[in-house]
Amino acid sequence: IPGPPGSETPGMEASFGPTFSAVAPGAKAEGSSTYKQHRRTPSTSSTLTYSPRDDEDGMEPLVFAEQPSVKLCCQLCCSVFKDPVITTCGHTFCRRCALTSDKCPVDTAKLTVVVNNIAVAEQIGELFIHCKYGCRAGGGTPKMGVAVNYEVDPKGCPFTIKLTTRKEHEVSCDYRPVRCPNNPSCPPLLTMNLEAHLKQCEHIKCPHSKYGCAFIGNQDTYATHLDTCKFEGLKEFLQQTDDRFHEMQLTLSQKDQDIAFLRSMLGKLSEKLDQLEKNLELKFDVLDENQSKLSEDLMEFRRDASMLNDELSHINARLNMGILGSYDPQQIFKCKGTFVGHQGPVWCLCVYSTGDLLFSGSSDKTIKVWDTCTTYKCQKTLEGHDGIVLALCIQGNRLYSGSADCTIIVWDIQTLQKVNTIRAHDNPVCTLVSSHNMLFSGSLKAIKVWDIVGTELKLKKELTGLNHWVRALVASQNHLYSGSYQTIKIWDIRSLECVHVLQTSGGSVYSIAVTNHHIVCGTYENLIHVWDIESKEQVLCDDGVIVLQVWDIESKEQVLCDDGVIVLQVWDIESKEQVLCDDGVIVLQVWDIESKEQVLCDDGVIVLQVGHCLRNRCYVMMVFLFSRCGT
């Protein structure tokens, strides 16, 4: 920094450039602390020059009484710090410089403001400067964009003050330029000369000039004019009028504010009303759409109801023909759709009626959950087994699945999440059934009985004495029915003891159904066996024969002979041999399919020769006729 005349500071000049001097324009200082005034004395400090500084508050002269330390100068703008801040690199810069520069000039780090440097700001505030009314621009004509150098004006204010108290002094400084309050065209004045100027000013106006008085004069004629001014006697009235007018202006301004507020509220209410209208229109559109959809659904439901009524009427008409009427199940049970998704054969199904859900287990080791009420789509695929899913069972809100991996998995139906896995058997779990808060699982030569305790299964007992795989389990009332190789065992659920054994033929029992009157099972060799549930005896007709009905496999029509009767073949249910009369014929009762009247021979019966020709391409549906309970 260049020093006083006659001194040389080449190091400072090399650091901050040749334009750095002892005078710099700065911002208007802030602060209210008491400042100490120093009468300027003829010393070298009064001739310091400093380059001006461009900041937010404009260009103001800033002439220091003493040369500031280089530590108080910003290395970016080469001027005394203005609002000093500390950056992330640890150096101090002016806030404006730190925000407008990318890198630190010392270590090239990125500049980011961290905190104000209060200590440096206080040091700068304690520096003494010359009053700006004691400074003047240096030699030369100022140019646009070029800094102006300031120097001490010997004709200006002689005081030096602290930077923090600059504002307080300059407001009351006697060297502050002012204008004549009577006439702006008067030459510029200093504050110290204003009072003398007013005594000599020839442009003093009457205080009532705003009401129309045209007097203009000096101090001497001013007093004389007041005695003769026609407005002087009305000054109280005029003052009251001014006060009232001012009050009215205030009231009018307040009313304008109220009107603006009401307009703003009206605009907001209008926006809300427009929004409500749009929402109402959208809701009406949705309502119309829903109404149209409901109308379509209602029409579809009515069509379905009409179709169901037609089917029921058709069924009733068929049933009214008698037990051997032309009953066609294909006209009653129609396929409504197909669930597609498994990658292997489906081994088991289970229905959860509460939620209209269907669970299916497959060879792909998964359980799929199907919606049977609304979407008819797969809701979720349950994965957890390492083998084929062979059995499914529902108890409460729990789904139990048995697999070829010898485990039983417990699933929560509400969340469709696995909650427990039990290692149930040493062999695949083939079948599951629940009753009396117990779960029964069938495997090779064993049935295990589990107590259901929350999500846990506690082994209660293992039922043994079975001869092969247990592939069928049914719980009905107080009994458990288990099917294995050519055997059905009936167990008392309360005592878990075997109470009866039914012998079958045709290999392993794969399915069991229990009605109010019968026990029915299906075997590996295409046979269906029926027992009376009370007597446990196999059900036969009075003459010990089974009656069969025959349909053509292509036309789905019953096979008729030339004389319009149904051709039947009959086997004895025990010997599996065709039933013949003494003359080698089968004796049956037959009705004409058209007239619904019984067809009779001369002796009152229909005689069909054994080996009577049947139509080609026909298949047989078995219908068991029981004289005790009907078809």
Side-chain angles (χ1 to χ4, degrees):
I1 301 176
S7 64
E8 294 181 1
T9 55
M12 294 301 178
E13 185 173 347
S15 300
F16 297 100
T19 61
F20 195 89
S21 60
V23 183
K28 297 178 182 178
E30 298 179 358
S32 59
S33 60
T34 304
Y35 64 91
K36 180 179 180 181
Q37 295 183 348
H38 296 269
R39 175 69 63 177
R40 184 176 55 187
T41 57
S43 65
T44 57
S45 62
S46 64
T47 61
L48 288 173
T49 59
Y50 218 67
S51 61
R53 181 172 175 198
D54 184 15
D55 55 28
E56 302 85 350
D57 296 330
M59 301 290 290
E60 285 192 356
L62 186 62
V63 181
F64 290 93
E66 297 180 359
Q67 179 176 319
S69 171
V70 68
K71 295 181 180 179
L72 300 179
C73 296
C74 176
Q75 298 187 45
L76 290 172
C77 65
C78 301
S79 299
V80 176
F81 289 117
K82 169 64 178 177
D83 190 11
V85 294
I86 301 174
T87 60
T88 51
C89 61
H91 299 102
T92 300
F93 302 98
C94 303
R95 178 179 292 276
R96 181 177 179 182
C97 297
L99 295 175
T100 56
S101 301
D102 295 331
K103 296 182 180 180
C104 174
V106 180
D107 54 13
T108 68
K110 184 178 180 180
L111 293 181
T112 303
V113 176
V114 176
V115 68
N116 291 334
N117 196 331
I118 301 176
V120 172
E122 290 178 350
Q123 291 181 41
I124 295 173
E126 294 297 319
L127 296 177
F128 280 92
I129 63 171
H130 289 278
C131 175
K132 72 177 182 178
Y133 301 120
C135 302
R136 66 184 179 185
T141 303
K143 297 181 181 179
M144 184 67 65
V146 178
V148 180
N149 291 325
Y150 289 92
E151 62 184 8
V152 177
D153 184 3
K155 297 180 180 180
C157 179
F159 289 98
T160 58
I161 53 178
K162 288 184 179 181
L163 183 59
T164 54
T165 60
R166 174 182 184 174
K167 193 69 176 179
E168 298 177 9
H169 167 76
E170 291 176 349
V171 168
S172 60
C173 182
D174 290 339
Y175 290 85
R176 180 170 63 90
V178 295
R179 287 286 183 179
C180 175
N182 298 323
N183 186 11
S185 61
C186 290
L189 303 169
L190 297 179
T191 302
M192 67 177 69
N193 301 327
L194 179 61
E195 184 176 355
H197 170 77
L198 292 177
K199 291 180 180 180
Q200 301 175 0
C201 182
E202 297 292 336
H203 300 89
I204 300 176
K205 295 181 180 181
C206 176
H208 308 300
S209 59
K210 61 181 178 180
Y211 303 120
C213 183
F215 169 80
I216 296 177
N218 55 26
Q219 191 75 22
D220 296 334
T221 59
Y222 175 76
T224 305
H225 169 72
L226 289 180
D227 294 335
T228 59
C229 182
K230 59 183 179 181
F231 295 100
E232 182 67 17
L234 301 174
K235 64 179 181 180
E236 293 183 0
F237 171 76
L238 294 175
Q239 185 62 39
Q240 293 177 358
T241 303
D242 282 345
D243 294 341
R244 183 62 184 270
F245 181 72
H246 181 66
E247 291 177 0
M248 293 178 66
Q249 284 183 326
L250 292 177
T251 304
L252 183 62
S253 176
Q254 183 65 36
K255 296 298 183 183
D256 289 339
Q257 293 180 3
D258 294 342
I259 291 173
F261 174 74
L262 292 175
R263 285 178 178 174
S264 175
M265 293 299 297
L266 184 61
K268 292 181 180 179
L269 290 175
S270 178
E271 292 178 358
K272 290 184 178 180
L273 183 61
D274 292 340
Q275 187 65 32
L276 289 175
E277 288 179 353
K278 292 179 181 179
N279 293 337
L280 189 61
E281 290 177 357
L282 290 175
K283 289 182 179 180
F284 275 129
D285 292 340
V286 173
L287 184 62
D288 292 339
E289 183 179 353
N290 292 337
Q291 186 176 2
S292 301
K293 187 176 180 181
L294 288 175
S295 299
E296 294 176 358
D297 292 343
L298 181 60
M299 293 178 63
E300 185 176 355
F301 290 154
R302 287 176 177 175
R303 287 195 298 266
D304 293 342
S306 177
M307 292 175 61
L308 289 175
N309 289 331
D310 294 341
E311 290 182 1
L312 288 175
S313 300
H314 184 67
I315 292 170
N316 290 331
R318 295 282 183 138
L319 293 176
N320 290 334
M321 297 177 185
I323 295 176
L324 293 180
S326 55
Y327 170 76
D328 186 357
Q330 293 192 10
Q331 297 186 14
I332 300 175
F333 303 105
K334 294 182 179 179
C335 180
K336 300 297 184 182
T338 303
F339 293 129
V340 179
H342 281 296
Q343 302 300 316
V346 178
W347 284 84
C348 51
L349 297 172
C350 190
V351 175
Y352 182 61
S353 58
T354 305
D356 294 317
L357 299 177
L358 172 69
F359 298 90
S360 60
S362 171
S363 294
D364 59 12
K365 305 177 185 179
T366 66
I367 302 169
K368 289 190 179 292
V369 186
W370 308 91
D371 181 3
T372 62
C373 181
T374 56
T375 64
Y376 299 99
K377 294 181 179 179
C378 178
Q379 288 192 341
K380 190 172 183 181
T381 300
L382 309 181
E383 298 180 349
H385 283 295
D386 296 327
I388 298 173
V389 181
L390 297 172
L392 294 173
C393 175
I394 289 178
Q395 172 70 22
N397 61 347
R398 299 282 189 269
L399 171 69
Y400 301 89
S401 60
S403 170
D405 61 8
C406 310
T407 64
I408 297 175
I409 294 182
V410 185
W411 309 84
D412 189 307
I413 297 180
Q414 302 300 324
T415 62
L416 298 178
Q417 298 292 328
K418 179 171 67 175
V419 294
N420 198 4
T421 302
I422 298 94
R423 181 74 181 182
H425 292 270
D426 296 330
N427 295 285
V429 180
C430 297
T431 181
L432 293 172
V433 70
S434 64
S435 181
H436 293 69
N437 204 34
M438 292 183 291
L439 182 70
F440 302 88
S441 60
S443 184
L444 179 62
K445 298 182 179 180
I447 300 173
K448 287 190 177 181
V449 185
W450 310 84
D451 277 328
I452 300 176
V453 183
T455 61
E456 300 291 333
L457 295 179
K458 304 295 184 182
L459 183 61
K460 183 175 184 178
K461 187 176 181 180
E462 182 174 351
L463 308 181
T464 57
L466 300 154
N467 59 8
H468 207 264
W469 290 98
V470 179
R471 302 185 185 277
L473 281 177
V474 172
S476 178
Q477 296 181 356
N478 293 323
H479 292 90
L480 174 70
Y481 300 83
S482 64
S484 53
Y485 182 74
Q486 298 191 157
T487 302
I488 294 178
K489 285 197 172 185
I490 305 176
W491 310 79
D492 189 300
I493 291 181
R494 291 164 295 187
S495 63
L496 298 178
E497 298 293 338
C498 181
V499 295
H500 207 284
V501 178
L502 302 177
Q503 298 296 331
T504 69
S505 61
S508 295
V509 176
Y510 272 78
S511 59
I512 299 175
V514 179
T515 68
N516 292 333
H517 303 286
H518 299 95
I519 304 168
V520 185
C521 78
T523 65
Y524 179 76
E525 296 180 358
N526 311 328
L527 296 180
I528 298 176
H529 295 269
V530 184
W531 290 267
D532 185 277
I533 198 169
E534 298 294 338
S535 63
K536 306 299 187 297
E537 294 180 357
Q538 206 161 18
V539 176
L540 303 176
C541 296
D542 291 338
D543 53 358
V545 298
I546 301 173
V547 181
L548 305 177
Q549 289 182 332
V550 184
W551 286 266
D552 185 272
I553 195 169
E554 291 183 354
S555 65
K556 309 299 185 295
E557 296 179 355
Q558 279 183 312
V559 178
L560 305 177
C561 294
D562 294 336
D563 56 358
V565 297
I566 303 172
V567 178
L568 304 175
Q569 290 182 331
V570 184
W571 289 262
D572 184 277
I573 197 169
E574 293 183 352
S575 64
K576 310 301 185 296
E577 296 177 356
Q578 268 190 325
V579 178
L580 305 178
C581 295
D582 294 337
D583 54 358
V585 298
I586 304 171
V587 180
L588 300 172
Q589 288 182 329
V590 183
W591 285 259
D592 188 311
I593 194 168
E594 299 294 338
S595 64
K596 310 300 184 298
E597 296 180 354
Q598 202 167 24
V599 180
L600 303 176
C601 297
D602 294 337
D603 55 357
V605 297
I606 304 171
V607 180
L608 302 179
Q609 298 292 332
V610 178
H612 191 286
C613 291
L614 300 177
R615 289 187 181 181
N616 294 329
R617 305 179 317 281
C618 64
Y619 69 90
V620 178
M621 173 184 285
M622 299 180 65
V623 179
F624 294 88
L625 176 62
F626 306 114
S627 59
R628 298 188 186 90
C629 60
T631 301

